[in-house]
């Protein structure tokens, strides 16, 4: 099913202007590695020589300990929801960096613990068990450090993919807050026992600055800003409307909503202050451009939280954190754009379809015609801006088109010349990326953002 309104012409007032690309995504990784090099330089400047197995083991333990402490601050900074990082790098990419960094941090902490115990036991000619007891019970702040280390390991185990599948998002999210306590408990022993800090006021000052700076970012962006906005915007539910089987739109109103600054393609974390929902904040995209007086999200009732939204009563108070994400027009690099949506993934793409300038084509995939949410709005937007919409459904088979390179190029012949914004279920997203790459689309022009954090 295809709805076409002379897609070769851009609607008046929506000519393409290439957005300015931020340098932050390119500068952030080198900056992180530069910090790690600085940590290694601290060890190097404070180490005159390394002699024998005990010296090598202890030196390796010091290096892994310093890197583990530094990595803790990077992990927390990545998830501090700092707008400069979130809006340029993207929430999902930051989450992937955080997950990879978390595995590295736990590995470094484990290596630090084992290497230090082993090296110290060789130096003092004692057993590993005896040395462990001495360190934990008699060294300053090491009992607290041990508790923090065990919390880190427990968080790492719970974050493993096999464990995550057995936990709800809300449970995993709140258990993850234990990392704050773990960092607090382990911080003291770094300064009181670390050979690179004892008597080195400059190193101590730098370490305090690093940790307190990250703590300030967390306190401001994860707690103070959401609290301030919740009190200022006073969001409430005005209505809940069905859009398709199992899909509803939640309409909200509030005060000073123009100050939120939500851009098309972004999402917020919504906390509905009603029984069973108040304790969790889930990410949902805006499904219409933000308005100074009202907002809208469109949700598929797949889980317990989203299913409860269909029963929200008008007047329910809402707190919204955000906006978040870099799935916006700023990622665009080409005059032509393909929006590829699967299921309820249409929500952020619907706002981009309305607002992106230039030549835009929308391909919307669903199981059945009845599952095509917001179709009336999409047709109206296409007519207004003279764009093309391809509706692809699995049933009936006559309207189906395989999610392959050949199937996509049949719908969009010059696909490789497009920027592609992609949003849908994880399986569909993986298949679409593979098909797009086989069709010749450059990886740098395939933009997608996942909410599976």
């Amino acid at each position: 099913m295809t709805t076409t309104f002379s897609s070769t012409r851009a609607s008046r007032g929506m000519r393409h202007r290439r957005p300015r690309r931020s340098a932050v995504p390119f500068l952030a990784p080198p900056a992180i590695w530069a910090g790690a090099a600085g940590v290694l330089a601290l060890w190097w400047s404070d180490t005159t020589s390394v002699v024998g197995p005990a010296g090598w083991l202890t030196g390796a333990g010091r290096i892994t300990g310093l890197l583990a402490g530094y990595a803790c601050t990077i992990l927390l900074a990545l998830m501090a929801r700092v707008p400069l990082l979130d809006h340029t790098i993207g929430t999902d990419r930051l989450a992937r960096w955080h997950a990879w960094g978390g595995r590295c941090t736990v590995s470094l902490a484990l290596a630090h613990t084992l290497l230090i115990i082993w090296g110290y036991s060789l130096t003092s000619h004692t057993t590993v068990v005896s040395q462990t007891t001495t360190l934990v019970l008699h060294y300053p702040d090491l009992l607290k450090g041990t508790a923090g280390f065990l919390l880190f390991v427990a968080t790492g185990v719970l974050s493993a993919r096999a464990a995550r599948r057995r936990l709800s998002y809300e449970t995993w999210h709140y258990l993850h807050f234990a990392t704050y306590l773990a960092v607090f408990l382990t911080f003291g022993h770094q300064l009181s026992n670390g050979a690179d800090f004892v008597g080195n006021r400059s190193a101590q000052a730098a370490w305090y600055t690093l940790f307190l700076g990250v703590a300030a970012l967390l306190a401001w962006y994860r707690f103070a800003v959401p609290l301030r906005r919740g009190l200022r915007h006073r969001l409430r539910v005005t209505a809940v409307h069905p859009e398709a089987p199992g899909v509803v739109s939640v309409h909200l109103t509030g005060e000073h909503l123009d100050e939120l600054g939500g851009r098309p393609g972004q999402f917020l974390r919504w906390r509905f202050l009603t029984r069973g929902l108040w304790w969790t904040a889930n990410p949902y995209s805006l499904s219409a451009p933000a308005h100074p007086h009202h907002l809208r999200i469109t949700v598929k009732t797949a889980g317990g939280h989203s299913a409860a939204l269909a029963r929200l009563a008008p007047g329910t108070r809402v707190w919204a954190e955000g906006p978040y994400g870099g799935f916006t027009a700023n990622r665009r690099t080409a005059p032509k754009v393909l929006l590829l949506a699967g299921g309820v993934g249409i929500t952020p793409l619907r706002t981009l379809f309305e607002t992106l300038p230039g030549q835009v084509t929308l391909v919307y995939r669903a199981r059945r015609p009845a599952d095509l949410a917001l179709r009336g709005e999409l047709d109206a937007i296409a007519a207004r801006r003279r764009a093309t919409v391809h509706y692809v459904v699995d049933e009936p088979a006559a309207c189906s088109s395989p999610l392959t390179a050949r199937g996509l190029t049949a719908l969009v012949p010059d696909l490789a010349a497009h920027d592609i914004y992609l949003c849908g279920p994880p399986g569909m997203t993986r298949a679409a990326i593979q098909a797009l790459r086989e069709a010749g689309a450059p990886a740098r022009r395939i933009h997608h953002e996942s909410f599976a954090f």
Side-chain angles (χ1 to χ4, degrees):
M1 295 179 289
T2 302
T3 304
T4 305
F5 296 90
S6 185
S7 64
T8 57
R9 294 172 54 191
S11 61
R12 182 177 298 176
M14 300 188 72
R15 300 295 180 186
H16 168 64
R17 292 182 181 178
R18 184 170 180 172
R20 298 177 63 181
R21 301 294 298 276
S22 172
V24 173
F26 307 101
L27 295 178
I32 293 172
W33 288 113
V39 170
L40 292 176
L42 173 63
W43 172 82
W44 181 266
S45 65
D46 198 52
T47 302
T48 55
S49 63
V50 180
V51 180
W56 283 103
L57 289 169
T58 303
R62 286 170 55 194
I63 291 173
T64 51
L66 287 168
L67 290 174
Y70 170 72
C72 285
T73 63
I74 299 301
L75 289 181
L76 296 179
L78 291 176
M79 290 290 98
R81 299 175 186 169
V82 179
L84 178 64
L85 300 178
D86 191 273
H87 295 174
T88 56
I89 297 174
T91 306
D92 63 333
R93 190 189 301 180
L94 290 173
R96 289 195 296 272
W97 290 3
H98 175 83
W100 181 84
R103 292 189 287 271
C104 292
T105 304
V106 172
S107 300
L108 287 168
L110 280 168
H112 164 69
T113 303
L114 297 175
L115 290 167
I116 285 292
I117 293 173
W118 193 3
Y120 278 27
S121 68
L122 290 180
T123 301
S124 60
H125 304 288
T126 59
T127 65
V128 169
V129 174
S130 175
Q131 188 61 54
T132 301
T133 303
T134 301
L135 286 171
V136 172
L137 298 180
H138 300 292
Y139 276 58
D141 297 314
L142 256 180
L143 188 59
K144 292 190 299 183
T146 302
F149 166 72
L150 294 175
L151 277 176
F152 268 125
V153 173
T155 304
V157 171
L158 291 173
S159 297
R161 187 169 298 177
R164 279 291 312 275
R165 286 197 292 262
R166 299 174 182 272
L167 295 174
S168 67
Y169 168 80
E170 294 81 9
T171 301
W172 172 85
H173 177 74
Y174 282 105
L175 288 174
H176 227 59
F177 278 112
T179 55
Y180 295 159
L181 178 59
V183 171
F184 174 77
L185 290 172
T186 57
F187 178 75
H189 97 279
Q190 298 174 57
L191 298 180
S192 58
N193 297 296
D196 302 287
F197 296 107
V198 175
N200 189 338
R201 293 295 181 87
S202 298
Q204 291 177 14
W207 215 242
Y208 267 113
T209 301
L210 179 62
F211 275 79
L212 291 177
V214 172
L217 291 176
L218 285 166
W220 180 252
Y221 288 111
R222 295 211 60 168
F223 298 100
V225 170
L227 177 62
R228 174 184 173 273
R229 287 181 172 175
L231 296 173
R232 179 162 178 76
H233 297 306
R234 304 179 65 84
L235 281 165
R236 292 183 181 274
V237 175
T238 56
V240 178
H241 293 152
E243 301 287 358
V247 179
V248 298
S249 285
V250 180
H251 298 256
L252 308 105
T253 189
E255 302 174 4
H256 313 290
L257 298 185
D258 54 313
E259 297 175 6
L260 275 175
R263 302 185 62 188
Q266 290 188 312
F267 68 94
L268 295 91
R269 287 180 168 87
W270 304 87
R271 188 183 303 273
F272 297 89
L273 304 184
T274 187
R275 184 177 180 180
L277 298 178
W278 64 269
W279 68 291
T280 183
N282 280 24
Y284 299 115
S285 294
L286 294 171
S287 62
H291 187 274
H293 303 295
H294 56 81
L295 303 173
R296 188 186 72 180
I297 59 175
T298 301
V299 180
K300 182 176 179 63
T301 57
H305 184 278
S306 55
L309 300 188
R311 302 187 296 272
L312 283 173
T316 300
R317 289 289 303 274
V318 183
W319 283 36
E321 304 173 24
Y324 298 120
F327 193 61
T328 65
N330 279 352
R331 291 191 177 181
R332 182 176 182 175
T333 60
K336 299 179 181 180
V337 174
L338 167 63
L339 307 176
L340 181 53
V344 78
I346 189 62
T347 53
L349 298 186
R350 181 254 181 254
T351 61
L352 291 169
F353 189 42
E354 180 175 348
T355 58
L356 276 176
Q359 182 178 331
V360 181
T361 301
L362 172 64
V363 176
Y364 184 8
R365 304 180 66 90
R367 183 180 176 185
R368 301 166 301 176
D371 296 325
L372 295 167
L374 308 175
R375 182 173 180 178
E377 296 181 19
L378 298 173
D379 286 340
I381 294 169
R384 185 166 62 251
R385 65 176 303 163
R386 302 183 181 184
T388 298
V389 183
H390 298 285
Y391 296 110
V392 181
V393 294
D394 296 330
E395 304 170 4
C399 298
S400 180
S401 176
L403 189 53
T404 61
R406 179 178 295 182
L408 289 173
T409 52
L411 297 174
V412 187
D414 57 342
L415 188 147
H418 288 66
D419 263 303
I420 299 104
Y421 286 76
L422 169 64
C423 189
M428 175 263 184
T429 300
R430 289 191 295 270
I433 291 174
Q434 181 178 348
L436 290 166
R437 297 291 289 122
E438 292 174 357
R444 68 181 184 277
R445 288 187 177 176
I446 302 174
H447 317 297
H448 64 97
E449 194 158 62
S450 167
F451 301 116
F453 302 145

